């Protein structure tokens, strides 16, 4: 878990240092989260990146994905036009 925590810390520092809070895309995402009532998790969710037994890794990845789910912004529903075009392309 030490490797997972170290990786999280490095990524957090990088994102914090390179993200412009005045960027319209960042503002839009924050506004969407506030509108939907999505708050940050009480503790950081650590991605399992350390080398482990494959069975344990699969379990940890599933736990990681489930832990992230409540904090994701849902995908907007596709418009009827997008659904029609996707059906014509055979994507449905």
């Amino acid at each position: 878990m030490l490797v997972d925590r170290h990786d999280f810390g490095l990524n957090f520092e990088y994102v914090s240092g390179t993200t412009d809070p005045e960027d319209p895309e960042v503002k839009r995402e924050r506004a969407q989260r506030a509108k939907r009532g999505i708050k940050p998790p009480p503790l950081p969710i650590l991605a399992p990146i350390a080398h482990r037994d494959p069975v344990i890794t699969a379990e940890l990845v599933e736990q990681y994905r489930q832990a992230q789910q409540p904090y994701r912004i849902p995908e907007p529903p596709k418009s009827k036009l997008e659904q029609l075009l996707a059906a014509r392309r055979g994507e449905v």
Side-chain angles (χ1 to χ4, degrees), residues 26-91:
V26 172
K27 285 184 174 183
R28 184 176 55 247
E29 183 175 327
R30 287 182 178 166
Q32 285 179 344
R33 288 180 182 282
K35 180 180 176 183
R36 296 175 187 274
I38 300 172
K39 296 181 179 180
L43 296 172
I45 300 172
L46 304 177
I49 59 111
H51 182 73
R52 296 180 172 93
D53 181 77
V55 174
I56 295 172
T57 300
E59 290 174 12
L60 290 173
V61 167
E62 185 58 32
Q63 290 173 6
Y64 173 72
R65 289 183 180 150
Q66 288 177 359
Q68 281 187 319
Q69 198 60 33
Y71 305 101
R72 292 184 186 263
I73 297 175
E75 293 291 325
K78 288 186 178 181
S79 69
K80 291 186 180 187
L81 177 60
E82 289 175 321
Q83 291 174 6
L84 177 64
L85 293 174
R88 285 187 179 174
R89 288 191 301 260
E91 295 176 6

Side-chain angles (χ1 to χ4, degrees), residues 11-32:
N11 287 328
F12 182 79
E13 278 185 44
Y14 178 78
V15 170
S16 297
T18 59
T19 300
D20 178 13
E22 299 302 318
D23 182 4
E25 190 173 315
V26 172
K27 285 184 174 183
R28 184 176 55 247
E29 183 175 327
R30 287 182 178 166
Q32 285 179 344

